Amino acid sequence: MSDPKILLYYVFAPVADPEAVRLWQHELCASLGLRGRIIVSRHGINGTLGGEIDACKQYLRRTRGYAPFAGLEAKWSDGSGYAETEPQLLRGADRSVPWRRSADFPRLSVKVRDELVAFGIPEETEVSGEGVVGGGAPLSPEAVHALVAERGDDVVFFDGRNAWEAEIGRFTGAVVPETSTTHDFVAQLESGAYDELKQRPVVTYCTGGIRCEILSAAMRKRGFAEVYQLDGGIVTYGEAYGNDGLWEGSLAVFDGRESIDFAPGAAVLGRCRACGAGSKRLADCPEPGCRARYAVCDAHASSACGAHPAAA
């Protein structure tokens, strides 16, 4: 039986016709039974897909055949299983593709956007055949440790994710901006709230690395003198060090798994919004129109955020 897998990947490269790439990617994924989310822009491609391992391999081989995406490197993780699907009948015959569908994604979505990540600075972001122009120097997990060994407490870890993601896992002592969406970062950087960090070594990090490609460039443009980015993101770091490095807790992911641990016995950092119990579970506020997301325990999975106490 073929194992269910999840791919996380991105490539920054100039794309002349994003709509044509969108159509091709949708057809390719549908033919392989892959589900998940893909964003295409003139800056490149960003995707998270799940399906059978052989289907994922075929997807990567064919996507790398498009010259701008030839350098695509994917991070692999285990999927949770396959979804039950109904036959797709046409004139009495089942026309379903011969691949099982991932249970970690409800559907396939392929869209064109102005930005691969919505920082709100599409015209500022510059991309060449080498990737994002002006970004922070990439550091491998081992190089991050070497920097900390050399510079000690002067090194700042700067979380490039939404603040709710950091509730259940983050680097030790990290700066976590009060952001509910990626769009909030630029305003925070320009507010002066982090000016004291501008002359210190700053290591930006995010899930797979894509957000920090752009964030680190935006920070450098706004006067941060020594900016690095964790190459491959938290995923690559966690694979290298598990629970034995500078990362603490669980990693929030954007699929049906909700969060993952890199090794058994990961610290539980999250605290239930309702009762304060330790938890790595994340949930959306049930109040209509509210976009808050936060840690909850199993007993309070449907609790509303603090802005709606009457609904708690």
Side-chain angles (χ1 to χ4, degrees):
M1 178 178 292
S2 181
D3 295 329
K5 292 292 182 179
I6 292 177
L7 300 177
L8 175 68
Y9 64 90
Y10 68 89
V11 175
F12 280 105
V15 174
D17 191 343
E19 178 60 21
V21 172
R22 183 194 72 80
L23 292 170
W24 161 57
Q25 283 284 298
H26 193 283
E27 180 180 357
L28 174 59
C29 291
S31 71
L32 295 169
L34 298 176
R35 289 175 165 177
R37 296 177 294 274
I38 296 175
I39 300 297
V40 181
S41 85
R42 60 188 178 86
H43 299 139
I45 188 170
N46 175 24
T48 307
L49 294 172
E52 291 195 49
I53 185 171
D54 291 337
C56 292
K57 289 179 178 178
Q58 286 197 37
Y59 170 81
L60 291 176
R61 177 176 57 81
R62 292 165 67 177
T63 297
R64 288 169 178 151
Y66 177 57
F69 301 160
L72 185 155
E73 295 184 5
K75 300 171 183 66
W76 293 78
S77 59
D78 293 331
S80 63
Y82 296 111
E84 294 293 331
T85 56
E86 297 292 329
Q88 298 179 11
L89 300 178
L90 179 64
R91 298 186 181 92
D94 185 3
R95 305 294 183 176
S96 304
V97 296
W99 301 97
R100 285 168 293 178
R101 271 74 163 189
S102 170
D104 297 305
F105 301 95
R107 64 186 67 84
L108 170 66
S109 172
V110 186
K111 296 181 179 180
V112 171
R113 292 283 187 261
D114 289 338
E115 299 176 283
L116 292 187
V117 185
F119 279 92
I121 49 174
E123 300 307 319
E124 177 181 317
T125 302
E126 300 177 65
V127 172
S128 72
E130 302 300 316
V132 175
V133 176
L139 295 180
S140 68
E142 295 76 17
V144 168
H145 281 210
L147 179 67
V148 172
E150 177 187 354
R151 309 282 289 276
D153 291 341
D154 196 36
V155 177
V156 178
F157 285 92
F158 195 92
D159 203 312
R161 305 171 299 157
N162 302 313
W164 57 262
E165 296 174 70
E167 286 191 31
I168 63 170
R170 53 193 174 269
F171 278 92
T172 303
V175 172
V176 180
E178 288 297 321
T179 55
S180 56
T181 70
T182 306
H183 214 93
D184 298 333
F185 272 95
V186 171
Q188 291 232 2
L189 292 177
E190 294 178 347
S191 72
Y194 304 106
D195 283 0
E196 64 182 23
L197 307 179
K198 286 186 173 181
Q199 301 306 316
R200 294 173 64 183
V202 177
V203 179
T204 62
Y205 69 89
C206 57
T207 306
I210 185 170
R211 286 179 271 188
C212 292
E213 296 263 12
I214 303 171
L215 175 61
S216 63
M219 294 179 78
R220 292 188 65 200
K221 282 186 169 72
R222 287 160 179 80
F224 290 80
E226 187 178 355
V227 183
Y228 302 94
Q229 52 181 305
L230 176 58
D231 196 17
I234 301 163
V235 172
T236 297
Y237 184 91
E239 290 172 349
Y241 289 104
N243 298 334
D244 298 324
L246 302 172
W247 172 260
E248 297 180 311
S250 303
L251 174 63
V253 294
F254 293 84
D255 57 59
R257 298 171 299 172
E258 299 287 352
S259 67
I260 60 173
D261 294 338
F262 294 114
V268 179
L269 301 190
R271 290 293 177 265
C272 175
R273 184 67 59 94
C275 70
S279 177
K280 63 179 181 181
R281 179 173 181 169
L282 293 164
D284 297 317
C285 179
E287 188 73 11
C290 183
R291 300 182 63 183
R293 188 165 172 77
Y294 40 83
V296 294
C297 68
D298 291 343
H300 296 100
S302 60
S303 296
C305 72
H308 315 289

